[in-house]
Amino acid sequence: MMDTYRGRFADQILHNRLRNTGAVLIQGAKGCGKTETAMQAAKSTARLDVDDEIRIRMELDPKSVLTGPVPRLIDEWQEYPHIWKYVRREVDDRKKKGQFILTGSANPEERVKLHSGAGRFSVIKMRPMSLYEKGWSTGEVSLSALVKGKAPNSAQAEFDLATLAEKLTLGGWPGLLGATHRQGLRFAKDYIALLAEVDINRVAGKKRDPQKVMRLMQSLARNISTEASLTAIAKDTGGSGLPLNDETITEYLETLERLMTLEQLPAWTTHIRSADTLRKTPKRHFVDPSLAIGALGLSVDKLLADLNYFGLLFESLVIRDLRIYADVHDGKIYHYRDSRNMEIDAIVEYPDTSWAAFEVKMGFNAQDEAAANLLKFAKKIDWEKAGKPKALTVITANGFACRRKDGVNVVPLGVLGG
């Protein structure tokens, strides 16, 4: 295990947000590194989850918790959600930028936010570390350069399947830097067990059946990188009994989203030339694909024995990293499917409406089929209304980065960065 802090893309994002707003809220799943990242910028800290003195002060004089050199970190703010209004008022009174950093591993119910933070708070979504942040990608090809139209180029990148499987089991958790894949498997299993037994009840505010929560997460794991319906997930979660109703399963899913361990990949809404209709069903991903491995109790050997499922996990890994890299320039990630079942694994769209499309193929030799699909897809988009794609790219596990003669890029994940 390593104790030295390793830089994150979120460091620069946080620095920029502190220069432009009074308070920054960093949200992310437990263990993703929020507090350590915040502490790189903070000058003082109040840890609401572990400091008994702070807890007393929160009861007697909440405003005193905000006193200290700035930026002041208010860690795990959701433990005392009413601190939100005190931070808001303090930002108003001080009329200065960069006063507070709030971190939280769970979203409180919206009703506790009695006053809007608009104009006072900036929100950063943190995820576990990308391959580049962990030192497993060279970063020779940046996502931002791809979307600007630059042709990619890199040396050969090699991830044999066993090595890639080990990296999937370790995930992007900062606490596992330097760990073995067996330690990663144990971490993921324990993480999932705590979600089912403790965390979901704490955030939901009501008792949930741990076995049903576990079956739900196992269903999500089995259906990772797919558009599984609520009905199918409800049937899985119900086990040998009756399926859960849609309302109950939705509540379960929303609670996992509030814990920031589950993240939807929404369908892209755009303008197409044909009469085909766009599908709207989201895909659901764990914030890190290692959690799917933990939920199903898999191992490296089991992944190698089921390459179809291995490929779905690899797609989820790519989605995680694309989200991290796109965040640098406020980009968002979507997937595409239409009524003819044409599917594109990832669409990256930026605030200026520029966009790029990505197909994910674990094998370098599968690029021809993926490239043909991307080119066919691009012709369906109404460029006058949606704009021309800035890049069409196949992301693979191995090989080298290049631009094919047909204009489609090929980029191994092991050379991709922000």
Side-chain angles (χ1 to χ4, degrees), residues 38-39 75 95 128-129 131 139 150 212 220 271 278 384 408:
M39 288 179 68
D75 193 33
K95 295 180 173 58
M129 301 174 83
L131 291 190
K150 183 177 179 180
K212 288 182 179 178
L220 292 168
H271 300 277
L278 299 179
E384 290 187 3
V408 176

Side-chain angles (χ1 to χ4, degrees), residues 72-145:
R72 182 158 174 78
L73 168 59
I74 312 298
D75 193 33
E76 298 296 346
W77 76 276
Q78 78 280 352
E79 295 292 324
Y80 295 92
H82 55 283
I83 194 70
W84 178 275
K85 65 182 179 182
Y86 290 99
V87 173
R88 181 191 66 83
R89 289 174 182 171
E90 197 68 14
V91 169
D92 284 345
D93 292 343
R94 296 183 187 183
K95 295 180 173 58
K96 294 180 180 180
K97 309 298 184 185
Q99 297 300 294
F100 301 102
I101 306 170
L102 282 70
T103 62
S105 56
N107 279 326
E109 294 182 33
E110 288 299 315
R111 62 183 174 81
V112 306
K113 296 182 183 180
L114 302 178
H115 301 280
S116 169
R120 306 168 182 90
F121 286 84
S122 182
V123 180
I124 297 174
K125 178 68 178 288
M126 272 193 73
R127 299 175 178 88
M129 301 174 83
S130 64
L131 291 190
Y132 177 75
E133 290 168 318
K134 292 202 76 170
W136 292 342
S137 168
T138 64
E140 294 169 79
V141 178
S142 77
L143 177 62
S144 60

Side-chain angles (χ1 to χ4, degrees), residues 28-39:
K30 65 180 182 180
C32 75
K34 302 178 302 300
T35 300
E36 288 300 314
T37 291
M39 288 179 68

Side-chain angles (χ1 to χ4, degrees), residues 331-343:
K332 303 296 182 185
I333 311 296
Y334 305 89
H335 79 95
Y336 174 94
R337 185 188 289 273
D338 61 33
S339 55
R340 293 184 183 270
N341 281 328
M342 168 165 277
E343 180 180 6

Side-chain angles (χ1 to χ4, degrees), residues 143 146-147 322 344-348 356-360 374 393 395:
L143 177 62
L146 275 178
V147 179
L322 284 177
I344 297 297
D345 295 324
I347 305 291
V348 179
F358 297 82
E359 280 279 74
V360 180
L374 284 165
T393 303
I395 298 182

